[in-house]
Amino acid sequence: MKRYRLLVDWDVVVKLRALPARMQRGVHALFVRLEQAPDLVSEFNVTDETGRQLDGFIFEDLAFYYWIDFADRHVKVLAFEPADHRGR
């Protein structure tokens, strides 16, 4: 049994389909890990406009943002965008 259920925002799905196939496969592999252990995938934290704590990870030059809903046992991938490497 999987620890969490992965839910991906529709806008993320649409944007992912525009990526090269190699990148899509890499993101898929990370999403599988995210579903199994979301707290272990997190590389950074940010706060959204509502004050909610989001986790994130970098893949290639993309930053992915997700929310771990502990009560429902869902991992919700909310967005991704080009990564900002200034702080790295």
Side-chain angles (χ1 to χ4, degrees), residues 42-72:
S42 180
E43 296 178 344
F44 62 89
N45 303 101
V46 296
T47 304
D48 71 5
E49 62 278 353
T50 67
R52 179 176 49 198
Q53 177 88 20
L54 300 180
D55 287 284
F57 65 88
I58 304 291
F59 174 72
E60 304 259 339
D61 285 331
L62 300 173
F64 288 82
Y65 301 91
Y66 64 96
W67 177 50
I68 304 171
D69 185 343
F70 293 103
D72 289 334

Side-chain angles (χ1 to χ4, degrees), residues 4-86:
Y4 289 88
R5 182 173 182 203
L6 183 69
L7 304 171
V8 182
D9 184 274
W10 183 250
D11 291 336
V12 171
V13 172
V14 171
K15 287 173 63 176
L16 284 173
R17 293 179 75 188
L19 295 177
R22 178 191 59 77
M23 287 184 73
Q24 289 181 36
R25 288 189 298 274
V27 170
H28 179 265
L30 280 167
F31 281 4
V32 169
R33 286 184 44 215
L34 188 62
E35 188 174 42
Q36 294 169 351
D39 47 337
L40 297 179
V41 176
S42 180
E43 296 178 344
F44 62 89
N45 303 101
V46 296
T47 304
D48 71 5
E49 62 278 353
T50 67
R52 179 176 49 198
Q53 177 88 20
L54 300 180
D55 287 284
F57 65 88
I58 304 291
F59 174 72
E60 304 259 339
D61 285 331
L62 300 173
F64 288 82
Y65 301 91
Y66 64 96
W67 177 50
I68 304 171
D69 185 343
F70 293 103
D72 289 334
R73 302 195 61 75
H74 292 159
V75 178
K76 301 172 181 179
V77 179
L78 304 173
F80 75 91
E81 60 188 22
D84 178 3
H85 294 288
R86 288 178 287 173

